[in-house]
Amino acid sequence: MLTVEEAQAKVMAEIVPGEAEVVPLADAHGRVLREDLVARFDAPEADNSAMDGYAVRADDIAGAPVTLSVLGDVAAGHLAQRAVEAGTALRIMTGAYVPEGADTVVQIELTDGGTETVRIDKALARGANVRRRGEDMRAGQTVVKSGRRIGAAEMAMLAALQKTTVRVGRRPAVAIVSTGDELIGVDEPRAPGKIVNTNAHLLAALVRETGAEARVLGIVRDNREATIAAFDDALQSDFVLSSGGVSVGAYDFVKEALDVLGAEQKFWRVAMKPGKPVVLSRARDRVVFGLPGNPVSCFVSFHLFVAPALRKAMGQEEHLFPAAVRARLASPLRSAGDRRVYFRVRLTSEDGELHAHPLATQGSGSLTSMIGANGLAIVNEGVEGVEAGAIVPVLVIGEIA
Ligand code: AMP
Ligand code: MG
């Protein structure tokens, strides 16, 4: 059986970054940047004031307290009409260009605030409170590299560079196939033996969180023909993500259907819990993930295998895998020791230290074990238990409060 790392390497080997497309700036948030962002101008474009105060010559205030005559105002967005000369000052607002002749800004708090004349109480070093031209970025400088996911900071940078359009990775379409005779839709009446198809909603949300496009194709009954037909249709999308039907049950048809469709199976089982039966296949040049049916198995195997693949497919080059941290365990974990186990935990930051609180139920069908889980604590093969207070490795899969 493959280790998780071996399986991840096999997944990533199947993925090449897909095409890029040009989108309006307003649609760029959450997408993967596919061009280097290069500053076209120095920013700021000229020396400007970091404070509301007075633009002065440092030499004039060396003997503070001194009084200077005020020649007028220079507000943000406006240019000074006069230069500062010996013995004079201009009242200046934050962001306004420092006028000719001045080299220093005295913040208003160090003055009497006068408009005709101003008393400066304190000498300042030359250049104080001046933001220098180009101190943020220089023309020609690469400020964001291709391959980065576009968040709020990148949106601000794109705007600063006046990029009204931007090249981003195309969103791969991910077909979501839910297998199982027991499944009903959210709006169908409950019936004995039937359960709601929660995986379709779980997986669609996880797909969208990566930035890819989810296509929910619906429920497929557990028979050979229906399963073949469903995968045949699903293979029109860039990726196929199925749940259920990959175990050794008498009604598990996913692998057989993929065989019939000429798929090349890359692996079937991974030494992990939950989620041992995970299939990776390639068919008609599409990558197919056959995830197990249990919701938590879907959840964990999505974070470990599918999300990194989708990110790479969009051209993302960093943070492909969940970050690993070390956290102090709040309550003990028990394992059979035969496989690596991923326990759902709630990571908290307490007094500068991360703590991992295992969710109360850890069954692979437990939806409650996913609510509030922002970490997957790892207990390795061969280890049968970890006591409270021990430090454990945890994969971060959500925001830490
Ligand atoms: P399977 O992998 O098909 O043997 O399914 C394993 C378990 O997951 C069974 O208890 C199924 O009822 C459950 N399951 C399968 N598919 C889904 C689904 N789409 N939503 C919720 N639970 C499911
Ligand atoms: Mg099934």
Side-chain angles (χ1 to χ4, degrees), residues 179-183 222 243-247 251-253 293:
T179 75
D181 274 358
E182 71 277 39
L183 302 179
D222 289 323
S243 70
V246 286
S247 254
Y251 299 95
D252 290 336
F253 290 107

Side-chain angles (χ1 to χ4, degrees), residues 109-155:
E109 294 81 357
L110 298 181
T111 74
D112 65 358
T115 51
E116 301 291 320
T117 64
V118 60
R119 199 188 70 246
I120 310 280
D121 296 330
K122 195 167 175 266
L124 294 177
R126 191 183 313 280
N129 300 314
V130 175
R131 302 170 180 151
R132 303 305 306 233
R133 169 179 183 159
E135 74 176 24
D136 190 17
M137 43 188 167
R138 290 266 174 212
Q141 182 189 342
T142 300
V143 285
V144 185
K145 279 232 189 301
S146 178
R148 192 177 177 86
R149 184 130 193 238
I150 299 173
E154 290 74 18
M155 288 299 284

Side-chain angles (χ1 to χ4, degrees), residues 273 329 331-337 341 343 379 383-388:
K273 185 185 167 184
L329 198 57
S331 55
L333 292 175
R334 295 281 165 255
S335 161
V341 186
F343 291 92
V379 173
V383 179
E384 292 187 352
V386 185
E387 299 311 320

Side-chain angles (χ1 to χ4, degrees), residues 201-249:
H201 298 273
L202 172 73
L203 292 172
L206 287 167
V207 164
R208 290 186 194 113
E209 282 177 9
T210 68
E213 180 202 326
R215 284 188 190 159
V216 179
L217 297 191
I219 295 168
V220 182
R221 296 306 169 199
D222 289 323
N223 68 68
R224 192 174 176 274
E225 273 56 51
T227 310
I228 294 169
F231 277 86
D232 188 33
D233 178 37
L235 282 167
Q236 294 177 52
S237 297
D238 300 302
F239 286 86
V240 179
L241 198 52
S242 68
S243 70
V246 286
S247 254
V248 291

Side-chain angles (χ1 to χ4, degrees), residues 74-202:
V74 48
H78 298 271
L79 298 179
Q81 299 304 309
R82 329 186 33 172
V84 170
E85 293 149 20
T88 69
L90 272 169
R91 198 159 70 137
I92 192 167
M93 310 304 147
T94 305
Y97 286 2
V98 174
E100 211 175 300
D103 54 21
T104 302
V105 171
V106 183
Q107 59 266 50
I108 198 157
E109 294 81 357
L110 298 181
T111 74
D112 65 358
T115 51
E116 301 291 320
T117 64
V118 60
R119 199 188 70 246
I120 310 280
D121 296 330
K122 195 167 175 266
L124 294 177
R126 191 183 313 280
N129 300 314
V130 175
R131 302 170 180 151
R132 303 305 306 233
R133 169 179 183 159
E135 74 176 24
D136 190 17
M137 43 188 167
R138 290 266 174 212
Q141 182 189 342
T142 300
V143 285
V144 185
K145 279 232 189 301
S146 178
R148 192 177 177 86
R149 184 130 193 238
I150 299 173
E154 290 74 18
M155 288 299 284
M157 181 60 82
L158 286 163
L161 303 184
Q162 294 193 292
K163 299 278 296 179
T164 54
T165 61
V166 55
R167 200 161 168 266
V168 298
R170 196 172 65 75
R171 294 176 190 278
V174 183
I176 294 172
V177 174
S178 311
T179 75
D181 274 358
E182 71 277 39
L183 302 179
I184 55 172
V186 256
D187 51 356
E188 287 183 74
R190 286 189 298 138
K194 305 293 179 188
I195 59 166
V196 174
N197 176 13
T198 51
N199 286 348
H201 298 273
L202 172 73

